[in-house]
Amino acid sequence: MSARPATTAPAPAAATGSSAVLDAAGLSFAYARSGAGFGEVSLAIGRREIVCLLGGSGCGKSTLLRVLAGLEAPAAGTVRFLGQPLARPHPRSALVFQQASLLPWLNVFDNAGFGLDFKHQPAADAAARKARVREALAAVGLAAHERAWPAELSGGQAQRVALARALAREPELLFADEPFSALDAITRAEMQALLVDVVRRWHAAVLLVTHDIDEAILVADRILLMAGRPGRIEREWTVGIPHPRDAHAEAVTALRLNILSALREASATGVPPSPTPDEEPST
Amino acid sequence: MPATLILPLLGLALAAALWAAATLLLANETPILANFAPAEAFRALSRLAIDPVMWEHIGVSLQRVAVGLAAALAIGVPAGVLTGVSRVFAQATTPLFQFLRMISPLSWMPIAVMVLGVGDAPVYFLLAFAAVWPILLNTAAGVAQLDRNWLMLARSLSATRAETLFRVVLPGIVAHILSGVRLAIGIIWIILVPAEMLGVSAGLGYFILDARDRLAYPELMAAILVIGALGFLLDYGARWLYQHWLHKG
Ligand SMILES: Nc1ncnc2c1ncn2[C@@H]1O[C@H](COP(=O)(O)OP(=O)(O)OP(=O)(O)O)[C@@H](O)[C@H]1O
Ligand SMILES: [Mg+2]
């Protein structure tokens, strides 16, 4: 379906002097009006790594994602993208939101290609842009719907177009903020599998914000647990379970219980718990 | 014939019958009113329909509508966008706009003629002044209702101001602008006829006064029918444009 090779050797990390696509140190943020935001956060996302940011409602996941994507400036700390300090959204990053937010006056093809010809995007001639959009739409299974209008699409199809719009930009890093939470369970499962498949083929890393533990376990290479107010990253798990993960029920269940207990602990104390539950001092 | 056509036609026929009955009754006391009967009007209309002078009057009036609407769009859309994006501008101008909006545009006629002179210019001014408000207010409402995610998308693409305006904001408010245009056309068409009764020598408003002075009452009634029919068609066109745009979306 795609011109891209399905399997590849790891990219030469030395190109930028670092193996991280994104590198954030000492970040914090507070909204001027409410004072809400997040506390000190440091994290790195490796090339082609799928990182899930998991946490309860209101702990600042979306805010952190916007700061990491360069949409908001942090109060303190720095974000580096491919080694360079980030001042505005990087042309090699792309965003997918909870709502597909397609532009209703453009058809599917033009929606998927939206923004490729903007001034601050990498220059590419019209033919190359067209090829990229075709490839992205084919990858999400919508090649036959190029001429359709957004109003004619189902919610799942619209979100596929939004994913294609991100892929067409050939991102190094895809930011996704609860991209599947507005979909029904069956469509969501399809989309989770599709996401893992296409980002592998596109060699993209992903930062996926979710409050669905199962989603995180199904797709993530690494899970970050965010909790507290203002939120911080409390725990981190590296997920070594091979794909497809539904075939490894035991390992999945064990990890799930582990995450659940960490979540419970974080919400019970409201303060940073110690890194492992067994080290908790008894009262 | 579809039922959706029968009832409207029946309504029109009933109105014509009432019109005929009224002129017949009134003509008993005031014989001159017989000139206003539907039969006379339609006879005059069929004569005027092949009269190039009448078409010239229609052309002049439609051109004034176009110029007035274009001027209202040129002022109303930018001002509406500014009202939609700038809280300061909105707060500073809202009471002023609401105040100006409530003044009948025709009140400005004497001043407009003094400043702009006799001729087309004051008519354009009055039409644009009348039509700018629905366009401005609808544009501002459209900007306020823009999907925040579209703006976030534009920012994530590092869109320039011009790119955001022309690729996201303006296309995103076309439906609102078009419904403002539809209202504006209705207002312009109503203001046009009295505005053309002052200091111009062509157009449908002028034609009505001229017909009166020539005592050509059937032509006067025919002109009223033409004004109604053209207004209906203009509104129909504006509605079609609006729905056409929405269908696409
Ligand atoms: N534009 C804003 N101005 C002021 N406060 C805000 C703004 N956006 C979010 N907040 C507040 O910041 C905190 C974090 O919000 P954020 O949307 O990042 O949380 P979240 O973890 O993504 O939650 P959810 O899971 O519900 O999406 C919340 O308390 C929220 O009320
Ligand atoms: Mg959120």
Side-chain angles (χ1 to χ4, degrees):
Chain A
M1 212 178 346
S2 159
R4 270 151 218 288
T7 56
T8 48
T16 55
S18 147
S19 64
V21 183
L22 187 95
D23 199 339
L27 282 189
S28 65
F29 183 89
Y31 286 107
R33 249 187 305 157
S34 60
F38 56 84
E40 201 174 285
V41 168
S42 296
L43 61 85
I45 299 173
R47 282 171 183 268
R48 304 180 195 185
E49 191 184 20
I50 302 182
V51 176
C52 278
L53 188 59
L54 187 66
S57 199
C59 70
K61 304 181 298 295
S62 298
T63 309
L64 175 59
L65 178 129
R66 282 202 294 272
V67 170
L68 292 173
L71 289 165
E72 313 267 6
T78 52
V79 181
R80 288 173 172 275
F81 195 102
L82 296 174
Q84 301 297 315
L86 191 70
R88 62 160 173 242
H90 196 278
R92 298 304 300 277
S93 70
L95 275 124
V96 179
F97 314 104
Q98 184 173 354
Q99 304 300 328
S101 296
L102 303 182
L103 305 171
W105 58 90
L106 298 178
N107 65 20
V108 164
F109 187 89
D110 291 337
N111 261 292
F114 183 76
L116 288 182
D117 54 349
F118 279 14
K119 186 167 165 237
H120 294 299
Q121 299 304 310
D125 62 67
R129 288 201 302 263
K130 229 175 197 171
R132 276 159 66 169
V133 175
R134 289 249 150 77
E135 195 182 353
L137 281 174
V140 300
L142 286 178
H145 293 71
E146 276 184 6
R147 300 282 148 228
W149 296 105
E152 299 163 0
L153 302 178
S154 70
Q157 287 174 323
Q159 200 56 290
R160 280 168 193 260
V161 178
L163 182 56
R165 176 171 66 191
L167 293 175
R169 309 184 55 219
E170 308 200 323
E172 285 285 343
L173 175 55
L174 177 66
F175 292 100
D177 192 350
E178 299 188 26
F180 311 135
S181 62
L183 305 176
D184 64 89
I186 293 170
T187 313
R188 193 182 314 147
E190 277 172 21
M191 291 294 289
Q192 286 159 353
L194 176 70
L195 179 76
V196 172
D197 176 46
V198 294
V199 298
R200 288 267 138 77
R201 278 160 48 194
W202 254 254
H203 306 168
V206 180
L207 179 66
L208 176 75
V209 164
T210 179
H211 41 211
D212 179 347
I213 297 179
D214 296 317
E215 178 167 289
I217 295 175
L218 271 179
V219 307
D221 297 324
R222 194 148 54 92
I223 298 175
L224 308 177
L225 175 65
M226 198 169 175
R229 272 173 203 255
R232 297 157 166 279
I233 292 175
E234 302 289 4
R235 288 284 304 269
E236 179 175 336
W237 293 267
T238 301
V239 188
I241 309 167
H243 288 275
R245 290 192 173 145
D246 6 21
H248 302 81
E250 233 169 86
V252 165
T253 310
L255 178 57
R256 190 168 196 282
L257 288 174
N258 196 338
I259 294 174
L260 270 173
S261 77
L263 260 177
R264 214 170 14 246
E265 195 178 337
S267 64
T269 56
V271 296
S274 44
T276 49
D278 9 18
E279 285 169 20
E280 190 93 335
S282 52
T283 43
Chain B
M1 200 188 296
T4 49
L5 261 180
I6 292 176
L7 281 179
L9 286 178
L10 210 64
L12 287 174
L14 194 68
L18 280 175
W19 173 16
T23 43
L24 210 63
L25 270 175
L26 292 170
N28 280 335
E29 286 190 21
T30 325
I32 200 172
L33 286 179
N35 286 313
F36 292 89
E40 295 291 325
F42 282 109
R43 206 170 305 135
L45 190 61
S46 63
R47 223 178 319 114
L48 290 173
I50 51 168
D51 183 351
V53 175
M54 185 61 185
W55 287 103
E56 241 167 72
H57 286 302
I58 290 175
V60 166
S61 282
L62 289 180
Q63 187 219 319
R64 288 186 180 131
V65 169
V67 172
L69 188 64
L73 278 169
I75 297 162
V77 170
V81 169
L82 207 56
T83 312
V85 295
S86 161
R87 196 184 294 253
V88 173
F89 185 81
Q91 283 176 351
T93 53
T94 300
L96 174 69
F97 288 165
Q98 297 295 355
F99 174 82
L100 290 173
R101 197 166 74 88
M102 296 314 288
I103 301 170
S104 164
L106 290 172
S107 330
W108 300 100
M109 193 61 180
I111 303 169
V113 171
M114 274 163 68
V115 174
L116 299 169
V118 178
D120 279 345
V123 177
Y124 293 152
F125 169 80
L126 292 188
L127 297 184
F129 195 91
V132 77
W133 309 114
I135 291 175
L136 192 159
L137 296 176
N138 272 282
T139 303
V143 173
Q145 285 169 34
L146 270 182
D147 189 334
R148 299 290 118 183
N149 279 337
W150 295 347
L151 300 176
M152 176 120 81
L153 175 70
R155 277 211 294 147
S156 79
L157 296 165
S158 297
T160 62
R161 265 166 200 276
E163 280 165 348
T164 306
L165 182 64
F166 288 107
R167 304 287 295 274
V168 177
V169 175
L170 286 180
I173 60 176
V174 166
H176 278 88
I177 295 178
L178 284 178
S179 62
V181 164
R182 191 184 162 204
L183 292 172
I185 286 179
I187 293 176
I188 284 184
W189 195 245
I190 285 169
I191 299 292
L192 175 76
V193 172
E196 282 181 338
M197 291 183 173
L198 301 154
V200 293
S201 53
L204 290 166
Y206 165 81
F207 184 86
I208 292 217
L209 287 193
D210 185 55
R212 179 197 65 186
D213 294 345
R214 290 186 284 114
L215 309 181
Y217 299 124
E219 288 189 14
L220 196 156
M221 283 313 283
I224 288 176
L225 291 177
V226 168
I227 288 167
L230 285 177
F232 180 86
L233 287 177
L234 281 174
D235 185 60
Y236 189 84
R239 219 165 44 204
W240 182 86
L241 262 184
Y242 178 78
Q243 276 164 1
H244 188 72
W245 176 266
L246 285 191
H247 264 229
K248 218 179 85 166

